[in-house]
Amino acid sequence: MNRKDAHLKYALSDAITKNGFDDYLLEYISIPSFGLEDVDIRTKIGIVDLEYPFFINAITGGSKKGDKINKDLEYVSKKTNIFLFPGSYSPFLNKDKISYPKNQGINLGIDKPFEAFVQGINKTDAKIVQVHVNMIQEMLMPEGDRNFEKWEENLKEIIKHISIPIILKETGFGMGRETFIKAKNLGIKILDISGKGGTNFASIENRRRKSVKEYYEEIGYSTTESLEIAKEFKDDFEIIASGGIRNPLDIVKALALGADAVGISRAFLEILELEGRDALVDRINTWKKDIKNMFLLTGSRNIEELRGKIRIK
């Protein structure tokens, strides 16, 4: 089976693990002093204005099935006005014909040189770029990269040569304090913490391996653990929360914990695969309304007023 298709199969069949959000309660206000028409849920990532505080995060690409998913997600994105980050652009490098959404985001691994990013951005007219890091997955993949010593130098060159906003993105293992410090020192301004709780690429790669190493699946930080660590660096980064986001309540809790925007992958992929793209359009439109309602339920006119209106149970 194609590696990309195997990732899709195992991602959908793996059980959702603990993302940490169930340990928190939003502050609920019984008598608000304003109405829904006063609630503004817009936000921003770099120079990209978002009408809604969540987006479709990188999922897949590069196989026949993966390319169809990206086309369906592009359709959903346009129908709902929700921003889209397609999966890795890597399979399309040095190809004349590509099936990769245009005028959205672009995703490439930190193992790629800056020239690859320039090529991808020029071919897709991307507004913003995700540089993903996936060291645990690479270690477990039989065909994985082992040349990690080049990653930091690559990132320095990417920062130097790429003019559009750059997001440093984890891939399901979260970010700890040392990663925040290194990212700050390197000059990164936007982080997608992508915590444990959603797609676990250690689990996926273990299912592709002959010798299973389940203990790697325990390494990392949940999405909420990374959000708590991020509070120390609130003046240094824009924070994207992703990793196991299941519903509008998780989105609002993530924003209350300090996220500037929220990325969703598996929850949307599951709806797309089981119910179809129009069902996903309907669900996203429902989520928009529910998020606005929840802002009102916390007495928050906007994301800034929502900040901190959350506590551990």
Side-chain angles (χ1 to χ4, degrees), residues 252-265:
V252 176
K253 285 182 177 180
L255 297 170
L257 284 168
D260 296 287
V262 177
I264 297 142
S265 299

Side-chain angles (χ1 to χ4, degrees), residues 27 39 68 83 88 93 104 140 147 179 186 258 264 280 288:
E27 180 180 311
V39 176
K68 182 184 182 304
F83 197 76
S88 176
L93 287 171
Q104 297 277 345
L140 289 174
N147 198 15
T179 300
L186 287 170
I264 297 142
L280 180 54
K288 293 175 188 176

Side-chain angles (χ1 to χ4, degrees), residues 77-95:
S77 170
K78 289 176 180 177
K79 284 283 187 180
T80 59
N81 197 29
I82 292 289
F83 197 76
L84 167 64
F85 277 101
S88 176
Y89 185 81
S90 182
F92 305 103
L93 287 171
N94 302 315
K95 292 184 179 179

